Amino acid sequence: MNFKDVIIIGGGAAGFFAAINIAEKQPHLKVAILERGKEGLQKVRISGGGRCNVTHAEFIPSELVLNYPRGEKELLGPFHKFMTGDTIDWFEKRGVALKIEEDGRMFPISDSSQTIIDCFLTEADKHKVEVCYNESVKKIEPSSQNESGDIEHHFKIETHSDTFFCNKLVVATGSNSKIWKLLEDMGHSISKAVPSLFTFNIKDQRINDIPGVVAQNVDIKVVGTDLFSEGPLLMTHVGMSAPAILKLSAYGAIELAQRNYKFEIEINFVKQTFEACIQCLKESKLNYAKKTVFKSPQFELPKRLWQKLVLASDILQDTRWAELNKQQLDNLSGQLTKAVFNVDGKSTFKEEFVTAGGVDLKEINFKTFESKRYKHLYFAGEVLNIDAVTGGFNFQNAWTGAYIVSQSI
């Protein structure tokens, strides 16, 4: 009989982290990872443009949880047990030093995700974790009794090529719809998966031909909702991206999916009210009377964006500040403080495949990450209905959950 003490389904970040920590703490246990691909850690490999955004330099649990549209309340306790500092310490003890970038993201000093992959493979080998590749799970059966009524093992797992038995089962399969279906068949509730980190597709004269232009700090809201975001905004070949958009896509994942990714956004490029902006423009009218509006950007806006908004306000390229009439001032203030854009569709943000959805959080004991429906069944990572904004937060959720699972086991 192919028996293991602990089986981890999923050879990604959470799966390897759980397996290594279990095997290190309990060297007498037989620990195996079942990975459906011919190699594991694929998301680790492509994260952060191939550099692996390991975590984020936020060291206060109550602040860290604010980056999780789903999971904020549930992760507060776990983050008090295993946090960013613990992640840094874990990797450094194993020879992987991390660095903090200006925006708070943390990467290995090598700037290569291969460093993280090598660390995991070395540690797994060192602690005798058996990694079984090309093992796609097709069935999970809880509990089996022998003739005298004793439970021989708690789980039977069938793959396409083998059958495994174990006493403890950890599911760390990320956004895998087939595994979600198996868990649903076992009685777990699954929140429907929808994309969480994505950019907005927008066709609009005001942003055509200016890809790469960044407005450093804007306010954005989705018209007709309470969804709001702020931060840098990047114009792209197909629309808009950067943190302001990505945060909105994460927090609005479910609602925007319901709208089939067709909605309106209102942008305040200058973070001022319409009235305050008018006053500033009137001052500019006095101060720059002889200059053309087109060639004298205000509010520290990028020149090309300013020029697009000026033209959209029915102001000609050769119009001087002194020549602006009331209607033109109103138009320009409107474009600067409440410009409305039509969003028609989404695009994946780089290779950051993140989804909202997964095992219902009410069915998990977050002191142990154990299922409330089945003893000895544990979860870690994005298989749960937890997701985060971009910046290393999704990995921190994986490390924290996997570590607590290993402590529990």
Side-chain angles (χ1 to χ4, degrees):
M1 184 167 76
N2 203 345
F3 175 80
K4 313 291 176 191
D5 294 289
V6 185
I7 284 179
I8 293 100
I9 304 177
F16 265 88
F17 205 71
I20 291 163
N21 282 292
I22 292 164
E24 187 177 43
K25 289 183 180 71
Q26 303 277 0
H28 62 282
L29 294 181
K30 285 184 180 176
V31 180
I33 295 172
L34 303 184
E35 163 56 37
R36 65 177 173 166
K38 62 178 187 292
E39 55 184 315
L41 300 164
Q42 287 308 294
K43 210 164 185 179
V44 170
R45 186 178 300 284
I46 61 176
S47 155
R51 295 194 298 146
C52 190
N53 185 181
V54 175
T55 186
H56 199 96
E58 174 52 73
F59 299 95
I60 302 165
S62 58
E63 292 293 318
L64 183 61
V65 294
L66 299 178
N67 295 285
Y68 296 84
R70 282 146 292 274
E72 177 182 337
K73 177 167 62 76
E74 290 81 3
L75 286 174
L76 185 58
F79 282 156
H80 277 93
K81 289 184 183 175
F82 192 89
M83 180 63 180
T84 312
D86 302 301
T87 299
I88 297 166
D89 187 53
W90 192 94
F91 280 104
E92 287 194 340
K93 279 180 177 168
R94 290 156 182 82
V96 180
L98 304 180
K99 60 175 179 176
I100 303 172
E101 301 207 335
E102 268 184 38
D103 59 4
R105 292 183 303 160
M106 297 193 70
F107 295 88
I109 283 176
S110 66
D111 270 333
S112 170
S113 58
Q114 192 62 45
T115 305
I116 305 298
I117 292 169
D118 290 345
C119 170
F120 283 161
L121 294 176
T122 300
E123 289 294 309
D125 188 52
K126 175 180 168 185
H127 296 292
K128 298 183 171 52
V129 173
E130 186 182 349
V131 186
C132 309
Y133 296 106
N134 298 308
E135 293 289 0
S136 183
V137 172
K138 61 178 186 177
K139 197 171 184 183
I140 303 170
E141 280 183 25
S143 293
S144 171
Q145 294 181 339
N146 61 20
E147 289 174 1
S148 58
D150 300 322
I151 292 177
E152 288 187 310
H153 51 262
H154 291 116
F155 296 97
K156 175 183 175 184
I157 298 111
E158 289 182 22
T159 69
H160 285 287
S161 59
D162 209 339
T163 302
F164 298 84
F165 302 88
C166 66
N167 281 335
K168 310 268 187 188
L169 179 62
V170 183
V171 181
T173 46
S175 306
N176 183 326
S177 56
K178 288 180 181 173
I179 299 296
W180 279 333
K181 179 70 174 71
L182 293 181
L183 294 169
E184 199 168 37
D185 291 345
M186 290 169 67
H188 267 292
S189 307
I190 307 294
S191 300
K192 187 184 171 204
V194 294
S196 174
L197 281 183
F198 50 86
T199 60
F200 293 178
N201 295 353
I202 299 169
K203 286 182 182 172
D204 193 292
Q205 280 297 114
R206 289 167 292 178
I207 61 169
N208 281 359
D209 313 319
I210 57 168
V213 167
V214 177
Q216 284 304 332
N217 198 8
V218 307
D219 289 342
I220 305 184
K221 61 183 182 183
V222 176
V223 177
T225 75
D226 295 328
L227 294 170
F228 170 84
S229 175
E230 60 184 340
L233 175 70
L234 169 70
M235 312 307 158
T236 71
H237 288 284
V238 293
M240 294 179 182
S241 183
I245 295 291
L246 296 170
K247 275 190 270 185
L248 209 53
S249 77
Y251 281 90
I254 293 164
E255 184 152 359
L256 301 182
Q258 288 168 348
R259 291 167 180 250
N260 200 25
Y261 307 104
K262 296 181 193 298
F263 52 93
E264 290 182 332
I265 54 172
E266 183 180 294
I267 303 178
N268 187 329
F269 288 102
V270 295
K271 292 178 85 77
Q272 292 188 14
T273 64
F274 178 85
E275 292 75 18
C277 184
I278 283 277
Q279 284 308 118
C280 290
L281 293 174
K282 285 179 178 174
E283 287 172 25
S284 298
K285 185 174 175 174
L286 292 173
N287 296 335
Y288 308 109
K290 292 183 178 178
K291 292 188 174 181
T292 63
V293 181
F294 187 77
K295 287 188 176 174
S296 39
Q298 303 298 302
F299 307 102
E300 298 182 353
L301 279 180
K303 186 176 181 181
R304 289 196 292 162
L305 175 61
W306 168 264
Q307 291 177 343
K308 287 279 192 179
L309 297 177
V310 166
L311 295 176
S313 306
D314 292 326
I315 299 169
L316 299 175
Q317 285 193 29
D318 57 359
T319 303
R320 300 182 192 283
W321 279 97
E323 298 165 354
L324 285 181
N325 60 35
K326 181 182 183 304
Q327 185 60 58
Q328 288 171 318
L329 282 170
D330 283 354
N331 290 351
L332 185 52
S333 184
Q335 289 293 339
L336 292 167
T337 63
K338 44 187 184 184
V340 174
F341 292 84
N342 282 311
V343 177
D344 185 10
K346 61 171 178 57
S347 296
T348 302
F349 173 62
K350 297 183 179 173
E351 290 92 3
E352 305 282 347
F353 300 114
V354 175
T355 58
V359 178
D360 193 314
L361 304 187
K362 293 189 188 73
E363 299 174 2
I364 306 300
N365 175 356
F366 278 92
K367 288 180 178 172
T368 58
F369 279 74
E370 187 176 17
S371 164
K372 289 180 182 176
R373 295 194 177 277
Y374 293 93
K375 279 185 72 64
H376 314 295
L377 172 61
Y378 300 83
F379 298 99
E382 282 182 54
V383 67
L384 296 169
N385 186 21
I386 294 176
D387 62 285
V389 298
T390 185
F393 301 106
N394 281 299
F395 274 141
Q396 185 56 53
N397 165 47
W399 314 138
T400 295
Y403 187 83
I404 292 173
V405 164
S406 73
Q407 293 283 87
S408 309
I409 287 175

